[in-house]
Amino acid sequence: FSSVCTHMSVSASIQLESVSTRIVDELEPGDGASFPKVGDKLLVHYTGCLAATGRCFDSSRARGHAFTFTVGCGKVIKGWDVLLLRLCKGQRVKLHVGAVDGYGAAGSPPNVPANADLLFDVELIDINEPLVKEGIRYRKELEDKARREVEEQQERDAKAAMASEGPKAAASGPKRPRESDESGSGSDSDSSSSSSESSGAARKRKERKKDKKKEKREKKRRERKEAKKSSKKEAKRGRKKEKKMKRDRETVQRSVITGKRLKLDDSAADTEGRAP
């Protein structure tokens, strides 16, 4: 990692400037054995909030993708560069990062104001994740995100349907009973007409319910079809990324092999030139 982190020796001696920057609480223990070093590539999930108000300003969990970075090289805020070196693999903690060890006087507009203390819920998932494992994880994250979006859309549609049915029921109001005539014949005719009307209304209600059920089934079928199509697209993107990473690895391997051959040829030529 020396090519990635050119100022490793400087990063190793980074000191926190705020006494309030610390690990507040352990939410989940880790393996207790695997600790990162300066220059390692970390895979984390986090949620960041303002300490003063508790308002969330950033979350990898909400985005559905874990965050990767090189630790101790100034790629993230100073509080992270120092505190995450103290975590072990699988550990989840709550961090308090003082403003000077966070975004400082400049802040991070528009989400983080100037001189703001921060709270983080951070989980160290992996250290130096292999490329193959990264491709599998990324594809799974895309599929989970597509499924969550479909479920959230279904919930919104159900709430909207309930909200639209509420005013209709209130507008119709309770039905008033029919007034009976004084004569017996009049009451008989009214009862027969009311029974026929009620049976007709019952049939209409049944038809409406049947139509609504049919519409819901059609809607769910369309949503499942769209979700399946979306997941296929995301999976295709993931496969493309895996192929690209594989090609990159093969290119690097070929370049290394070619470089070794060139060195061997040069050494052989030098030996032949020095031979008596």
Side-chain angles (χ1 to χ4, degrees):
F1 291 97
S2 58
S3 61
V4 177
C5 180
T6 56
H7 54 288
M8 187 179 294
S9 59
V10 177
S11 300
S13 61
I14 290 177
Q15 297 295 323
L16 295 173
E17 298 182 26
S18 173
V19 294
S20 65
T21 301
R22 66 194 187 280
I23 297 175
V24 179
D25 191 17
E26 183 183 56
L27 304 178
E28 291 179 12
D31 62 2
S34 305
F35 290 87
K37 304 180 296 297
V38 173
D40 282 346
K41 184 181 177 182
L42 305 188
L43 176 69
V44 300
H45 256 316
Y46 70 92
T47 301
C49 301
L50 301 178
T53 62
R55 180 176 63 82
C56 176
F57 63 86
D58 191 15
S59 175
S60 64
R61 296 182 179 96
R63 289 195 299 271
H65 288 291
F67 176 62
T68 59
F69 70 99
T70 306
V71 68
C73 298
K75 302 293 184 183
V76 291
I77 57 176
K78 188 187 294 183
W80 272 38
D81 260 343
V82 176
L83 294 180
L84 265 66
L85 288 170
R86 303 175 187 175
L87 304 185
C88 60
K89 183 178 176 180
Q91 191 174 12
R92 182 174 178 178
V93 297
K94 187 176 181 180
L95 307 180
H96 184 284
V97 178
V100 290
D101 295 321
Y103 294 104
S108 181
N111 297 321
V112 181
N115 299 315
D117 286 6
L118 309 172
L119 290 174
F120 288 97
D121 175 350
V122 183
E123 179 184 4
L124 179 54
I125 301 171
D126 204 352
I127 303 169
N128 297 325
E129 180 185 31
L131 284 174
V132 175
K133 190 176 176 182
E134 180 183 356
I136 295 170
R137 172 184 58 80
Y138 186 77
R139 187 168 68 247
K140 186 177 182 301
E141 286 175 344
L142 291 176
E143 291 173 354
D144 291 342
K145 185 179 180 182
R147 188 180 65 253
R148 282 197 304 272
E149 287 176 353
V150 171
E151 290 173 354
E152 289 171 0
Q153 184 62 43
Q154 288 175 347
E155 288 181 5
R156 286 194 293 269
D157 293 341
K159 288 180 181 178
M162 290 176 64
S164 62
E165 287 176 2
K168 289 179 181 178
S172 60
K175 294 182 179 180
R176 294 192 301 177
R178 293 175 59 87
E179 296 180 357
S180 60
D181 296 335
E182 293 180 357
S183 62
S185 60
S187 61
D188 293 338
S189 61
D190 288 341
S191 61
S192 62
S193 62
S194 62
S195 62
S196 63
E197 287 176 1
S198 61
S199 62
R203 281 196 299 273
K204 288 181 179 179
R205 283 196 299 271
K206 285 183 180 179
E207 289 175 359
R208 284 198 297 270
K209 284 183 180 179
K210 193 182 289 185
D211 292 340
K212 283 183 180 179
K213 286 181 180 179
K214 188 176 179 181
E215 287 176 3
K216 284 182 179 179
R217 284 197 299 270
E218 288 294 325
K219 188 175 182 181
K220 286 182 180 179
R221 187 182 62 79
R222 288 195 301 270
E223 288 172 351
R224 284 196 298 269
K225 190 175 179 181
E226 289 174 1
K228 190 175 180 181
K229 190 183 293 183
S230 176
S231 63
K232 282 184 178 179
K233 287 182 179 178
E234 298 297 345
K236 189 175 180 181
R237 291 195 193 100
R239 288 194 296 272
K240 284 185 178 179
K241 186 176 180 182
E242 281 187 44
K243 287 181 181 178
K244 185 178 182 300
M245 289 191 293
K246 185 177 179 181
R247 286 198 300 271
D248 292 343
R249 287 198 304 272
E250 291 175 352
T251 303
V252 171
Q253 290 173 355
R254 284 198 298 270
S255 63
V256 171
I257 293 169
T258 304
K260 287 183 180 178
R261 287 176 179 172
L262 288 173
K263 287 182 180 179
L264 289 173
D265 293 343
D266 291 343
S267 61
D270 293 342
T271 304
E272 290 176 359
R274 288 195 300 270

